[in-house]
Each structure stands twice: as C-alpha cells, then as structure tokens.
Amino acid sequence: MRLSHRRRAIYTGLAGHFSEEEVWPLLALWESKYADKPPFALNEFLAEVVLRTERKLERARLYRELVGALTGPPSQLLPDPEEQLMAWRQGRNEAIRSVATPDAAAQKTFLSLSQALLEQLELPQQQALRRFAAGNLGGMEVGTELATRLRAWLEQGAQEGIESLGLEQLRKLLNLLYIGLCEFLGPVRADRVLSQAVSRVETEGAGFSPRRLL
C-alpha cells in the first residue's frame, strides 16, 4: 500500500476526532515514526496520541476506524493532505527557528524545574528516569556531539549540554522527562509531580516562567 493511500486513511480517521489544528502534528507524528511500521503499531501510535493530546478518547473505536480506513475502498477516504501537511511543517519550522537560539534564562528555569521534578522521586526512580531519557534522545533531533553532552547531563549532572539548547529543544527535553514519569509513575501521579515542580519554581520567582517550557 502506497504512503499516499495510508496517509489518506490515517488523516480520514483522525479528522473525525480532532480539529485541523490538532490533526497536523498527529499526522506528522504518524508519518515520521509509524508509517513504515506494521499495522499492529497503530496501538502504539494511539497511545502516543492520547499522551500528546491529553484527551479522553475512545481508543478502541478510533482504532477500528483507522483499520477500516486502511483496509476499505479508497473512494471512502479524504483527499491526500500532503500539501497541507507540508505547509504546516514549513510554518512550524519557522516558529522553531525563532526559539532555537540558546536562552540563558530558559536554561536556568529548566534546570530548576528538572531538579524540582527529580527531588520528588526516590533515588532508584530518579536513576531510572535519567536512564530512560538518556536512552531516548533520538526525538531531540540534535547532533551526535550535543546528544553525548545531554547524556552526560542526564547521567552525571554535567550542564554543558543544557547550555547549548534553545527554548524548543528545552521543551522537547522536558517532554521526554514527562513521558518517562508517565512510564514509571502513571499519568495521574506524573501530572501531579510536574504541577508541583512548576509551582515550586514559580514560588522561587524565576525570571523565565516555567509554564513557557510546557
């Protein structure tokens, strides 16, 4: 099955549950991470959709709709959204470039926030979270040298890697830590830990609001 057909099917399924503003990042996620995976990876994709959107979805229903779209007649699918998706990516890349330069204030707040997160965990949980993040830096889209420095920060506390990150990259790294929290603590407790960390950093009077990292 050609990529264009599969993209139409996934777009058709998602469009019935999400607004246009929400659909494009989800479709981009599918195309970059799941398009070449076997059909059973749809469940993994939907799990990430739920995490990213923080929406209560009828996953079983959406799964059936996506499978139906993938296996049904092309005449029942929406037109290929390739051009719209490309336009969305171009707009997003321009926004990313505007926040990609290193920002000392954002870095300082990020370090305070990550410390506030870790201090709520027991030592074995801290170590597990650091290992999880260090092993999943691929989504950061950084070069090998910077990835090595980030790994050193996660595993040893070295700050050189953080000093090279712009706002968008700091957001990605915080999101990676949050995903790890969800893995080890469950989403409810992970949300509570993150909320308490944000409140603590805000109370300390950070010059750069921690909410801008979310």
Side-chain angles (χ1 to χ4, degrees), residues 27-189:
L27 189 59
L29 168 68
W30 172 82
E31 190 172 280
S32 64
K33 190 173 179 180
Y34 296 97
D36 296 326
K37 290 188 176 182
F40 61 76
L42 274 178
N43 269 321
E44 184 181 346
F45 169 60
L46 289 180
E48 192 160 354
V49 167
V50 171
L51 179 61
R52 289 189 174 214
T53 61
E54 298 182 349
R55 291 265 296 272
K56 290 185 178 180
L57 294 172
E58 293 184 49
R59 278 179 56 178
R61 176 186 168 191
L62 181 52
Y63 177 82
R64 289 194 300 270
E65 291 177 3
L66 290 173
V67 171
L70 286 164
T71 58
S75 60
Q76 300 297 314
L77 303 178
L78 294 171
D80 188 359
E82 181 179 16
E83 291 186 5
Q84 298 99 307
L85 184 59
M86 186 180 302
W88 175 84
R89 280 195 176 109
Q90 289 173 343
R92 178 176 178 272
N93 287 340
E94 290 175 5
I96 288 174
R97 281 193 290 272
S98 70
V99 293
T101 53
D103 185 323
Q107 293 161 6
K108 182 177 180 180
T109 293
F110 173 84
L111 289 170
S112 297
L113 186 58
S114 59
Q115 185 65 26
L117 283 174
L118 291 168
E119 287 179 354
Q120 296 180 65
L121 307 178
E122 296 179 1
L123 182 59
Q125 293 174 322
Q126 291 183 25
Q127 294 171 335
L129 180 59
R130 289 178 181 275
R131 286 194 299 269
F132 173 87
N136 289 277
L137 290 172
M140 290 287 297
E141 299 177 357
V142 296
T144 303
E145 183 180 350
L146 181 51
T148 300
R149 293 203 298 268
L150 287 175
R151 200 168 287 112
W153 172 72
L154 287 163
E155 295 175 348
Q156 304 163 23
Q159 294 186 15
E160 288 81 0
I162 299 301
E163 292 170 356
S164 302
L165 298 185
L167 178 55
E168 184 66 19
Q169 292 169 322
L170 291 169
R171 286 171 175 160
K172 286 183 178 181
L173 187 53
L174 179 62
N175 184 61
L176 181 57
L177 291 172
Y178 173 74
I179 291 173
L181 285 175
C182 290
E183 287 279 334
F184 299 122
L185 306 179
V188 174
R189 189 179 170 201

